[in-house]
Amino acid sequence: MLPGSYALPAAVLLAVGGFLACFVGFRLFRLVLGIYGFLIGAFLSTSITGAHDAWTLTTAIMIGGITGA
């Protein structure tokens, strides 16, 4: 799980993605889907690895995010 300090930025990114999906619609569907996939992949990879230091956490986020996207 991501540290609590990352909860607000993740919520903002999800809200922006939802706003784009709501008002721009199908034209940005693939972009929004990629953003959501990246965030979900990053959340899952950090939950599985349980990383505590910055280097491992960053690596887990990038690998999980790219896989999810």
Side-chain angles (χ1 to χ4, degrees):
M1 190 85 182
L2 286 175
S5 62
Y6 293 146
L8 183 62
V12 169
L13 281 174
L14 289 172
V16 168
F19 181 79
L20 287 173
C22 181
F23 291 106
V24 179
F26 191 70
R27 287 178 278 166
L28 290 179
F29 177 69
R30 288 185 184 195
L31 174 68
V32 172
L33 191 64
I35 291 170
Y36 284 160
F38 185 89
L39 289 175
I40 291 171
F43 291 150
L44 288 175
S45 66
T46 55
S47 296
I48 292 171
T49 60
H52 296 290
D53 61 338
W55 176 251
T56 310
L57 184 64
T58 304
T59 305
I61 287 173
M62 296 309 291
I63 291 173
I66 290 170
T67 304

